[in-house]
Amino acid sequence: MVGKDSLRSKIIFVVLLMLVLAFVLIPFVTMISSSFKPNQEQTQLPPKIIPDNPTLEHYQGVLNPDIFPFLNYFKNSLIVAFFSAGIGVVISIFGSYSFARLEYTGRSVIQRGVLMVYMFGGVLLVIPLFQMISKLGLFDTRTSLVITYVVQTLPVSLYMLGNYFRTVPESIEEAAIIDGCSRLEVIFRIVLPLSAPAIVSVFIYAFMIAWNEYLFASVFINSSSLRTLPLGLNQLFYTQHYVWGRMMAASVLTAIPVIILFLSVERFITGGLTFGGVKE
Amino acid sequence: MEIKTDQEAKLGYWLILPTVLAIGGLILYPVIYNLWLSLHKVNMNPTQPNTFIGIKHFIEILTDVDFWTAFRTSILFTSTTVVGTTLLGLGVAILLNRKFPGRSLIRGIILLPYVTPVISAAFGWKYLFNPVFGMFNYIMVDVLSLMPQHINWIESPRYAIFAVIIFNIWRNFPFAFLMILAELQSISGTLYEAAEVDGATGWQKFKHITLPELKFVIGALVILRTIWNFYKFSEIYLLSSSVEVLPVYIYEKAFATYSFGEAAAISAILFVFVFGFILFYVRKVLEW
């Protein structure tokens, strides 16, 4: 809506925009500012945004394995997120090509079945999955998390990739088939190279979901050496040794990789989000 | 040509097979297995056999006061957050639906709460809600005098629900914002121009052009957010474990007291409720 650009409406717009930005950013500002505050400044009232004596001690504490196993949690999150995203991408490349280009009876039933997953939240699956994981002898392994996360991200990955594959002109694929390529060669030589940005985005989407996940990790993992970041950080919060500045530094370091990854593919992911909605 | 179509179909099945196996084995089978568990007294050790007890768990749950308390908390949490995220998303989308310098940067900033890991965001808010030195108490009590005294937002069972609702709205309104903004940008400007020629006011334009165009996206947002927030666990539990919505109640039944069968029965009830809501909403509200 393009209103009349009077000075009054401009001022109202700027004020409202500032309020929205303040609401969005205050937790981030607090987090970053406290991560640089020495302990005696943490409890100051009124709270200050810029610390009087900024310090790096909390970051040094977080990164020192003798004080805080942050790096080990970080490594576990990295391994789990990398493998879930990688396996998820491979499965959804094949699946979404099958949906987008091949014709067979039952295809639309399967497509609708995949969407059904929206109706089952993690909390409905955690009890039966815990029983299954235990029976399979996968309790307290990273594998249990990887296989769970792959399935959680499949519906959105299939949707995003399928949409992208449909934008590859069918005539190119047909020409390649007439030239003697098989369908699989078409996928690997033509569709995949053309879809590289979509594939990277789907990988990052799945990576973010796995990096963020708490519920399944808290149930499937027991050993402290296998904890992922959300799990490890939350458990440390409930010990008496937590230090606010250190928790904030850990939060910042946990968020940074994900925010960088997101910003690098923002346009593509938000495009995918607005068309399909996204499973949380 | 006939052979080729057969081959295509065959390849189609092979390529979709991993997806079908993964979703069948790790979503559909567990849902059915959950129903089976809910009819059994489940052994604490998953490798030991379980005893069939029929619908005993369901009778116990439906006559349990704690269940109904958690149910009410879930309804309160879900209804307020669905309304809050949708309205705030709508407001901010309308605000940003104009050209101004730095618009795409601001859009990116607004999405940050939605993409930040829950654990980081929850820690930031815990700090803000701190009873002694948190910014939230400071602003509400010392600056604006809206409340008489500092409140322990996170740990008090009475107030934690408000902290959780504010946190959820903060985290999820960007999704509503993004979807609504995309829809707003697709509304043709000529509709508004025609209305202006006819002398329509800003409110009339909003009511007769914008809202009807947004009907579908808002309808979809409300149903998705309702489903997601009914099942919401981590965003609540990581901010305050004293807010006992149904998912937290299920989690504690299963993994703190090891009553797996009972917890499975509660999840079955939760699913039936959500499924019933979807059917009702799609037929009566969306009129599909």
Side-chain angles (χ1 to χ4, degrees):
Chain A
M1 277 178 282
V2 191
K4 293 168 198 78
D5 269 354
S6 69
L7 185 65
R8 193 167 142 255
S9 73
K10 260 188 188 160
I11 292 173
I12 293 175
F13 169 69
V14 171
V15 169
L16 287 176
L17 189 62
M18 289 299 150
L19 281 176
V20 171
L21 287 182
F23 177 60
V24 165
L25 286 177
I26 277 179
F28 294 104
V29 172
T30 314
M31 216 191 291
I32 295 169
S33 129
S34 308
S35 70
F36 290 109
K37 275 184 192 167
N39 289 332
Q40 60 272 23
E41 276 184 48
Q42 298 289 350
T43 53
Q44 255 177 4
L45 267 181
K48 275 192 190 155
I49 290 177
I50 312 277
D52 293 331
N53 304 296
T55 169
L56 285 175
E57 62 175 305
H58 301 306
Y59 286 93
Q60 283 157 352
V62 165
L63 296 174
N64 182 347
D66 296 331
I67 299 180
F68 198 98
F70 182 85
L71 289 176
N72 187 43
Y73 299 155
F74 196 93
K75 185 192 81 185
N76 289 331
S77 276
L78 205 59
I79 294 173
V80 169
F82 183 83
F83 281 100
S84 337
I87 296 169
V89 163
V90 172
I91 296 180
S92 41
I93 285 173
F94 291 136
S96 50
Y97 189 83
S98 171
F99 282 156
R101 282 285 184 262
L102 300 168
E103 273 169 43
Y104 46 92
T105 33
R107 186 178 73 173
S108 64
V109 175
I110 301 175
Q111 261 178 310
R112 258 178 261 148
V114 171
L115 284 178
M116 284 260 294
V117 175
Y118 273 96
M119 296 197 323
F120 308 113
V123 71
L124 299 184
L125 301 170
V126 68
I127 295 164
L129 280 176
F130 169 73
Q131 300 276 333
M132 289 161 65
I133 294 282
S134 304
K135 286 191 178 129
L136 294 170
L138 292 173
F139 178 69
D140 206 21
T141 59
R142 292 193 195 97
T143 315
S144 67
L145 296 184
V146 171
I147 57 176
T148 312
Y149 297 167
V150 164
V151 182
Q152 293 295 312
T153 56
L154 271 185
V156 174
S157 305
L158 283 166
Y159 186 86
M160 281 168 66
L161 275 183
N163 275 351
Y164 203 88
F165 288 167
R166 284 187 195 95
T167 66
V168 174
E170 238 176 324
S171 53
I172 302 183
E173 292 183 41
E174 277 160 11
I177 289 174
I178 290 167
D179 285 349
C181 279
S182 71
R183 272 284 179 187
L184 281 177
E185 283 172 318
V186 169
I187 296 178
F188 283 106
R189 292 206 189 144
I190 295 167
V191 178
L192 288 192
L194 285 174
S195 311
I199 291 168
V200 171
S201 305
V202 166
F203 180 91
I204 289 177
Y205 157 77
F207 188 96
M208 286 165 62
I209 297 284
W211 188 265
N212 195 26
E213 208 285 328
Y214 174 80
L215 174 61
F216 293 113
S218 77
V219 171
F220 296 168
I221 297 297
N222 186 36
S223 322
S224 58
S225 63
L226 292 176
R227 282 174 194 158
T228 54
L229 280 170
L231 197 52
L233 262 56
N234 191 50
Q235 268 156 359
L236 274 168
F237 188 83
Y238 288 102
T239 64
Q240 52 189 348
H241 302 292
Y242 78 83
V243 178
W244 273 109
R246 202 179 286 156
M247 299 313 298
M248 295 300 121
S251 300
V252 171
L253 293 177
T254 303
I256 283 176
V258 167
I259 290 179
I260 292 176
L261 285 176
F262 171 74
L263 290 179
S264 64
V265 289
E266 187 206 329
R267 292 189 62 180
F268 195 88
I269 289 199
T270 51
L273 283 176
T274 42
F275 284 113
V278 77
K279 182 145 192 313
E280 293 189 349
Chain B
M1 223 38 206
E2 193 56 37
I3 303 160
K4 193 172 161 276
T5 335
D6 270 5
Q7 277 178 345
E8 294 266 282
K10 221 175 183 178
L11 182 66
Y13 286 125
W14 277 114
L15 293 183
I16 202 62
L17 187 65
T19 305
V20 170
L21 288 180
I23 288 181
L26 291 156
I27 305 269
L28 296 181
Y29 174 73
V31 167
I32 293 161
Y33 184 45
N34 187 63
L35 279 179
W36 187 87
L37 286 172
S38 71
L39 300 174
H40 288 74
K41 190 173 184 315
V42 179
N43 204 301
M44 265 171 68
N45 181 341
T47 54
Q48 297 297 309
N50 308 315
T51 353
F52 181 80
I53 55 159
I55 58 165
K56 200 160 158 263
H57 285 314
F58 289 92
I59 294 169
E60 279 167 8
I61 292 160
L62 294 172
T63 54
D64 182 354
V65 181
D66 289 347
F67 166 78
W68 291 106
T69 310
F71 189 79
R72 274 198 301 275
T73 312
S74 268
I75 300 267
L76 174 67
F77 168 76
T78 308
S79 51
T80 47
T81 51
V82 168
V83 172
T85 51
T86 312
L87 285 184
L88 189 60
L90 175 66
V92 178
I94 290 171
L95 186 70
L96 290 202
N97 186 30
R98 67 188 77 194
K99 289 201 169 68
F100 60 91
R103 188 171 84 154
S104 66
L105 175 72
I106 285 174
R107 197 186 76 151
I109 290 175
I110 290 176
L111 292 176
L112 284 182
Y114 194 67
V115 296
T116 305
V118 181
I119 188 79
S120 303
F123 277 164
W125 278 95
K126 274 186 178 184
Y127 195 90
L128 281 175
F129 280 128
N130 186 285
V132 185
F133 49 85
M135 182 98 77
F136 194 78
N137 274 317
Y138 176 74
I139 291 178
M140 296 300 265
V141 180
D142 302 305
V143 180
L144 300 174
S145 307
L146 288 174
M147 300 180 321
Q149 70 211 33
H150 285 205
I151 285 174
N152 189 345
W153 290 97
I154 298 298
E155 273 148 41
S156 103
R158 193 161 151 216
Y159 296 107
I161 177 85
F162 297 106
V164 162
I165 289 170
I166 293 173
F167 177 54
N168 185 276
I169 293 175
W170 172 82
R171 181 166 171 82
N172 293 306
F173 93 87
F175 181 69
F177 154 77
L178 192 66
M179 304 257 286
I180 294 172
L181 183 64
E183 196 67 28
L184 281 176
Q185 287 172 342
S186 71
I187 302 177
S188 153
T190 53
L191 285 175
Y192 292 111
E193 282 159 23
E196 267 164 35
V197 170
D198 291 342
T201 64
W203 169 249
Q204 284 172 326
K205 280 187 282 180
F206 178 73
K207 195 178 155 202
H208 295 292
I209 302 174
T210 317
L211 271 190
E213 293 279 334
L214 292 180
K215 194 182 162 217
F216 179 80
V217 69
I218 290 178
L221 279 170
V222 166
I223 193 164
L224 284 175
R225 181 55 56 209
T226 306
I227 298 173
W228 289 336
N229 279 7
F230 244 106
Y231 294 144
K232 192 68 81 182
F233 174 79
S234 304
E235 278 169 34
I236 297 167
Y237 190 77
L238 291 179
L239 187 72
S240 170
S241 46
S242 37
V243 178
E244 207 155 72
V245 288
L246 277 176
V248 173
Y249 187 64
I250 292 170
Y251 182 80
E252 286 183 342
K253 273 267 186 251
F255 302 106
T257 61
Y258 300 103
S259 317
F260 287 112
E262 206 185 330
I266 305 170
S267 6
I269 295 171
L270 177 62
F271 172 71
V272 168
F273 186 79
V274 171
F275 191 70
F277 170 80
I278 297 174
L279 286 184
F280 168 81
Y281 187 86
V282 167
R283 294 240 171 98
K284 301 284 172 187
V285 182
L286 295 183
E287 293 171 350
W288 281 347

